[in-house]
C-alpha cells in the first residue's frame, strides 16, 4: 500500500471513530457513556507504553500553590505564558463574583518500564534541586521583632569569611562546621535530634561578633532573625515568635547577658523579703505603679533551645553573643544548647594581615615586623586596628596608615605597662601597712 493510500485509509478510520463517538454521545445515556469511557481507557492503557503524571500549580479546596509545582518550575527555569488560553474559575468566599485563574501545570511522560526510576530517584532529585535553586535565588531578609510580630528589610551585608579578621585555621574550622551542618538533614533524623545547632560567640566589644553572624548567613544563604528579648512580653509570646521563622535561618540574640536578667534567675536570694504587712504602704503603691518589664524566663528560653519546641522548624542556627561569658548561667550555654563556643579575642598578627589586605591591599611590608612585635604585648581589637588602616583622605598612602597603627600600638603597650605597675603597687600596699594596736589604753 502506497503512503498516500495509507494516509487516506487512516483518515477514513479516524472519521469513522469520530462518527461513532458522536452517535454514542447523542443517543446513549450518560451512565452508559461513562462506562464505555472507563473501560476504553483501561483497554488503551494495556497497549499505550507511557505513564503521565500531572503537577498542577494550585491544589486543594483553597487553591494553595503546590510546592512540587514551584520546585519543578525552578528546576526547569521556565516562565508561564502571558496569554493563557485555559482558565479555572473559583468563587471567593462571601462574594458573588468569580475569580479566573490560569490553569498551569507540568506533565511528566515516561515509559512504563522506567516507573521505579522516575517516581523514586528522579523526582526526588528534581524536587530537591528545585528547592535548592529557590533558596539560592531568593532575596534574603533580616528580621527584627516588635513585640510578637516580625518585620524585615532586605539583607545585603557584604561580610564573608574571607574578609573576617581571623586566623585561617580557625576560619576554616568554622566554615567546615557550618557546611557540614547544612548538609546533615538525614544524619539528624537518624540520630533523633532536631536539625539545629547552637553557637556562642564571646569576646570583648569590637572583635567582630556581629560581622561573624553576617558571614555565616552569607556562607549558607540563610535569613537572619534578630530577636530583641526585652521587647517580648512573656514566654507565650516568645514561643509564638520562635515557631514562625522558616528553615534555613539564623536566630540571633545579641548581648544576651544584657538582654534580660537570665543570669540570676537560678540563684538563691541572700535576703528574705519582708512580710506584706510590714512593708511601707507608700513603697507598695510605688512598686505597683511601675511599668512591668519582660516576663521571659530562663526556663522559657531553654525550652525553645532544646526542649519540645526546639523541633519546630528544621535547619536552624541559634546564635548568642556576649562580651562577658562568665556572667551567663552554665545551663544556658552547655553543650547541646550552645554546641560550639567561639572566642573572638584581640587582634593577632594573622588577623592583622587579613585587615591589611582588605583595607590597603598589602600582603607584606617592611613595617609588618614591628607591628607583629607590638601585637604580642598590646591589646587592640580588630575594629580598632581597622580604623587605623582606613584611609582618611584620598591621597593617604599605606605607609601613613601603618605608622598611625604603630603609634597607637605603642601607646596601648605603654598604657598596659603603667596599669600593670599600678596594680602591682596596690597589691603590695596592704602588706606594708603597720599593724594597728588593738590593746585599749589602761588595760594591762
Amino acid at each position: 500500500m502506497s503512503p498516500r493510500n495509507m494516509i487516506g485509509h487512516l483518515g477514513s478510520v479516524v472519521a469513522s471513530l469520530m462518527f461513532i463517538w458522536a452517535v454514542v454521545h447523542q443517543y446513549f445515556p450518560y451512565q452508559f457513556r461513562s462506562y464505555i469511557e472507563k473501560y476504553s481507557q483501561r483497554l488503551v492503557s494495556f497497549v499505550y507504553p507511557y505513564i503521565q503524571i500531572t503537577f498542577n500549580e494550585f491544589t486543594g479546596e483553597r487553591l494553595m500553590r503546590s510546592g512540587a509545582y514551584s520546585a519543578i518550575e525552578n528546576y526547569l527555569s521556565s516562565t508561564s505564558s502571558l496569554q493563557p488560553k485555559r482558565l479555572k474559575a473559583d468563587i471567593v468566599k462571601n462574594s458573588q463574583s468569580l475569580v479566573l485563574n490560569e490553569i498551569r501545570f507540568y506533565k511528566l511522560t515516561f515509559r512504563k518500564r522506567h516507573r521505579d526510576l522516575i517516581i523514586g530517584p528522579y523526582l526526588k532529585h528534581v524536587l530537591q534541586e528545585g528547592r535548592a535553586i529557590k533558596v539560592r535565588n531568593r532575596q534574603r531578609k533580616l528580621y527584627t521583632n516588635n513585640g510578637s510580630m516580625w518585620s524585615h528589610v532586605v539583607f545585603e551585608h557584604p561580610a564573608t569569611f574571607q574578609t573576617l579578621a581571623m586566623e585561617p585555621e580557625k576560619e576554616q574550622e568554622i566554615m567546615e562546621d557550618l557546611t557540614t551542618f547544612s548538609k546533615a538533614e538525614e544524619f539528624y533524623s537518624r540520630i533523633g535530634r532536631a536539625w539545629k545547632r547552637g553557637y556562642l560567640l564571646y569576646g570583648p566589644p569590637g572583635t567582630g561578633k556581629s560581622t561573624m553572624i553576617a558571614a555565616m548567613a552569607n556562607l549558607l544563604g540563610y535569613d537572619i532573625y534578630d530577636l530583641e528579648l526585652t521587647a517580648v512580653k512573656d514566654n507565650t509570646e516568645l514561643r509564638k515568635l520562635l515557631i514562625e521563622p522558616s528553615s534555613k535561618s539564623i536566630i540571633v540574640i545579641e548581648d544576651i547577658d544584657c538582654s534580660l536578667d537570665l543570669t540570676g534567675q537560678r540563684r538563691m536570694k541572700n535576703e528574705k523579703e519582708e512580710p506584706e504587712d510590714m512593708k511601707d504602704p507608700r513603697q507598695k503603691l510605688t512598686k505597683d505603679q511601675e511599668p512591668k518589664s519582660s516576663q521571659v524566663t530562663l526556663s522559657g528560653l531553654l525550652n525553645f533551645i532544646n526542649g519540645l519546641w526546639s523541633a519546630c522548624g528544621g535547619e536552624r542556627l541559634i546564635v548568642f553573643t556576649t562580651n562577658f561569658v562568665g556572667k551567663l548561667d552554665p545551663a544556658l550555654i552547655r553543650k547541646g544548647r550552645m554546641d560550639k563556643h567561639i572566642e573572638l579575642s584581640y587582634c593577632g598578627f594573622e588577623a592583622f594581615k587579613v585587615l591589611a589586605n582588605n583595607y590597603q591591599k598589602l600582603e607584606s611590608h617592611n613595617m609588618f615586623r614591628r607591628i607583629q612585635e607590638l601585637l604580642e604585648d598590646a591589646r587592640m581589637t580588630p575594629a580598632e586596628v581597622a580604623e587605623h588602616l582606613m584611609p582618611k583622605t584620598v591621597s593617604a598612602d599605606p605607609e601613613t596608615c601603618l605608622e598611625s597603627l604603630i603609634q597607637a600600638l605603642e601607646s596601648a603597650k605603654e598604657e598596659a605597662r603603667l596599669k600593670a605597675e599600678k596594680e602591682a603597687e596596690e597589691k603590695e600596699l596592704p602588706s606594708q601597712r603597720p599593724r594597728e594596736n588593738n590593746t585599749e589604753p589602761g588595760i594591762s
Side-chain angles (χ1 to χ4, degrees), residues 249-260:
S249 60
I250 303 177
I251 299 173
V252 179
I253 303 179
E254 293 199 271
D255 297 322
I256 191 168
D257 54 297
C258 303
S259 296
L260 286 177

Side-chain angles (χ1 to χ4, degrees), residues 32-151:
F32 185 72
R33 295 202 310 270
S34 300
Y35 184 82
I36 293 176
E37 289 178 3
K38 177 181 177 180
Y39 285 95
S40 62
Q41 289 176 0
R42 288 188 179 182
L43 180 62
V44 171
S45 65
F46 283 111
V47 295
Y48 188 65
Y50 297 99
I51 297 175
Q52 290 184 335
I53 301 177
T54 301
F55 300 90
N56 292 310
E57 181 180 15
F58 297 98
T59 59
E61 294 180 357
R62 297 185 179 181
L63 295 180
M64 300 293 292
R65 200 166 197 266
S66 168
Y69 179 91
S70 299
I72 295 170
E73 183 177 45
N74 293 324
Y75 182 78
L76 298 176
S77 300
S78 60
T79 56
S80 60
S81 172
L82 296 178
Q83 296 180 342
K85 295 180 174 58
R86 290 185 294 177
L87 298 175
K88 183 175 182 179
D90 188 43
I91 299 178
V92 180
K93 187 176 181 181
N94 300 326
S95 175
Q96 300 299 320
S97 61
L98 286 176
V99 176
L100 297 178
N101 298 313
E102 176 188 354
I103 299 178
R104 296 190 297 182
F105 59 88
Y106 290 108
K107 183 172 289 186
L108 175 62
T109 304
F110 54 92
R111 289 186 175 273
K112 291 180 179 179
R113 64 173 179 269
H114 298 148
R115 177 190 178 95
D116 293 339
L117 175 65
I118 298 298
I119 294 179
Y122 177 72
L123 277 181
K124 182 179 179 181
H125 167 76
V126 169
L127 297 178
Q128 287 180 343
E129 285 297 310
R131 295 188 187 107
I133 292 170
K134 179 181 178 181
V135 170
R136 290 196 296 268
N137 294 340
R138 84 187 194 281
Q139 191 175 53
R140 290 184 296 118
K141 298 172 183 176
L142 171 62
Y143 292 82
T144 188
N145 64 298
N146 182 11
S148 61
M149 302 294 293
W150 290 108
S151 59

Side-chain angles (χ1 to χ4, degrees), residues 291-353:
K292 292 185 177 180
S293 60
S294 173
Q295 299 299 310
V296 174
T297 64
L298 178 60
S299 61
L301 185 59
L302 295 181
N303 188 39
F304 171 74
I305 296 174
N306 72 335
L308 292 175
W309 289 93
S310 64
C312 296
E315 196 172 358
R316 286 180 178 176
L317 298 178
I318 303 172
V319 180
F320 292 166
T321 72
T322 180
N323 298 333
F324 307 100
V325 68
K327 289 185 177 181
L328 298 179
D329 193 305
L332 185 65
I333 60 175
R334 70 165 174 80
K335 296 301 176 72
R337 288 172 178 155
M338 292 295 103
D339 304 285
K340 191 169 183 63
H341 296 191
I342 301 173
E343 181 180 10
L344 300 175
S345 189
Y346 295 100
C347 189
F349 183 63
E350 292 297 326
F352 158 75
K353 289 196 295 184

Side-chain angles (χ1 to χ4, degrees), residues 352 355 359-360 380-392 396-409 411-412:
F352 158 75
L355 293 172
Y359 285 80
Q360 295 291 339
M380 186 172 285
T381 65
E384 294 170 323
V385 173
E387 180 59 28
H388 289 284
L389 294 176
M390 178 81 71
K392 304 299 189 297
D397 56 5
E399 285 75 14
T400 302
C401 296
L402 294 177
E403 289 173 358
S404 172
L405 176 59
I406 290 174
Q407 292 175 5
L409 287 170
S411 299

Side-chain angles (χ1 to χ4, degrees), residues 132-187:
I133 292 170
K134 179 181 178 181
V135 170
R136 290 196 296 268
N137 294 340
R138 84 187 194 281
Q139 191 175 53
R140 290 184 296 118
K141 298 172 183 176
L142 171 62
Y143 292 82
T144 188
N145 64 298
N146 182 11
S148 61
M149 302 294 293
W150 290 108
S151 59
H152 69 268
V153 295
V154 177
F155 179 71
E156 296 178 326
H157 200 293
T160 64
F161 275 91
Q162 287 68 35
T163 60
L164 284 180
M166 182 180 293
E167 294 77 7
E169 295 80 9
K170 189 173 184 179
E171 172 189 305
Q172 187 63 32
E173 176 194 341
I174 297 171
M175 291 175 64
E176 289 180 358
D177 187 87
L178 290 166
T179 304
T180 302
F181 166 79
S182 68
K183 299 177 179 179
E185 180 179 9
E186 293 183 1
F187 171 77

